Amino acid sequence: MTDVNKPPVASRREWLAAIDTLRVREKAHTREGDAIAAARRRLPMTEADPSTPIIGGNGAVPLIDVFEGRTQLFVSYHMWHDGRPAADQCEGCTFFTGQVRELSYLHQRDVTFAVFCQGPYEESDRYRRFMGWDMPWYSVPAESHERLVAGRHFGMKASYLRDGDRVYETYWTTGRGVEPMAPSYGILDMTVHGRQETWEDSPPGWPQPYGTLGQQFRKDGRPTAQWARVTAGHDDDLHSGQSSTGTGTSGCCS
């Protein structure tokens, strides 16, 4: 490291004073986030077809069954490249989906979390197993796309409410709106070099090696998180006999 890629050194008193000054803005940001969340809770909702078929491990089930008896459902829509190897699958969806691991706090508040993958169930479920994920996993058949996604970007996230035997969609977002799913970003934002992505407003000389077309979620030709699974000996063959060793850079939902 050189002086051009690290902050200046200050006394502890000066350092604490600078943080106190920034804290005023941080608290305002937190309060604005609370106000936005309050407005989100007051949005109208739109009815969804509770019988919309979704493919799970035991075959087709209606959308309402995905709630698992709870009244709320959060769905992570996971993009998919049909017939492509594991290395070519969506790096953005892999980044966001893979960071949601502990579901008990959601269940405590009557919320079910599920992934709805764009690809065929057997192939995409092999990807889930390769990644070592254990969240509820479903595939959206072609006939259900319009009822669920209705022309929107498949990499979205959506919230639903069940009222008896009726289902309503209450909110959806995509792009940077899904960042609350990724605590890695929150942690990086508190570090001196941040996310190290080219769009960030950082001082001259700060490391920014990552672009924003998928490169930020990839390393050496794969979604970054796949390497730990490969090293651990997990089988990444998604296609029953075909090798899954591609090096694509799809950038599909960054």
Side-chain angles (χ1 to χ4, degrees):
M1 293 186 65
T2 67
D3 289 341
V4 299
N5 56 24
K6 62 184 179 183
V9 177
S11 69
R12 188 166 188 84
R13 182 188 295 270
E14 293 170 324
W15 176 71
L16 288 172
I19 289 178
D20 286 344
T21 298
L22 181 63
R23 195 78 75 208
V24 174
R25 296 177 61 189
E26 289 180 333
K27 288 183 178 295
H29 177 73
T30 298
R31 288 192 292 270
E32 178 61 14
D34 291 342
I36 291 171
R40 191 181 294 120
R41 292 192 291 272
R42 289 165 172 79
L43 288 171
M45 59 187 181
T46 189
E47 192 157 11
D49 183 352
S51 67
T52 302
I54 309 295
I55 309 302
N58 295 318
V61 297
L63 174 63
I64 197 167
D65 283 8
V66 181
F67 283 76
E68 299 178 347
R70 300 183 182 93
T71 59
Q72 298 180 83
L73 171 67
F74 182 96
V75 175
S76 176
Y77 283 83
H78 189 108
M79 294 178 67
W80 189 256
H81 298 296
D82 195 12
R84 301 291 293 275
D88 287 351
Q89 293 306 326
C90 180
E91 61 278 345
C93 291
T94 298
F95 175 76
F96 288 105
T97 297
Q99 295 191 57
V100 183
R101 304 302 299 270
E102 179 55 70
L103 303 181
S104 59
Y105 299 103
L106 299 178
H107 295 168
Q108 179 183 3
R109 289 158 176 81
D110 207 29
V111 178
T112 294
F113 176 88
V115 174
F116 284 6
C117 193
Q118 191 175 12
Y121 180 79
E122 289 300 328
E123 185 176 316
S124 66
D125 188 57
R126 289 191 191 104
Y127 188 68
R128 177 192 65 79
R129 285 182 273 132
F130 161 60
M131 294 301 299
W133 299 334
D134 57 5
M135 71 279 286
W137 188 275
Y138 300 87
S139 171
V140 179
E143 63 268 25
S144 297
H145 279 211
E146 182 61 26
R147 280 187 270 181
L148 292 172
V149 182
R152 295 172 288 181
H153 187 273
F154 199 94
M156 69 180 190
K157 315 304 172 189
S159 299
Y160 300 88
L161 177 71
R162 180 179 63 83
D163 183 10
D165 60 359
R166 304 181 78 170
V167 170
Y168 302 88
E169 186 174 351
T170 61
Y171 179 73
W172 76 278
T173 190
T174 189
R176 292 195 64 189
V178 309
E179 287 186 2
M181 293 180 62
S184 291
Y185 264 165
I187 292 170
L188 288 169
D189 284 344
M190 289 189 282
T191 67
V192 68
H193 288 155
R195 303 181 188 189
Q196 302 171 43
E197 296 175 5
T198 54
W199 66 270
E200 286 182 289
D201 180 5
S202 293
W206 253 234
Q208 293 181 295
Y210 300 106
T212 57
L213 296 177
Q215 305 96 320
Q216 71 271 47
F217 304 130
R218 284 186 166 266
K219 177 182 178 182
D220 299 332
R222 285 182 178 268
T224 304
Q226 289 187 8
W227 285 112
R229 280 69 178 183
V230 171
T231 300
H234 294 202
D235 182 4
D236 72 347
D237 182 0
L238 307 182
H239 308 109
S240 185
Q242 298 180 28
S243 174
S244 298
T245 57
T247 57
T249 54
S250 55
C252 54
C253 72
S254 54

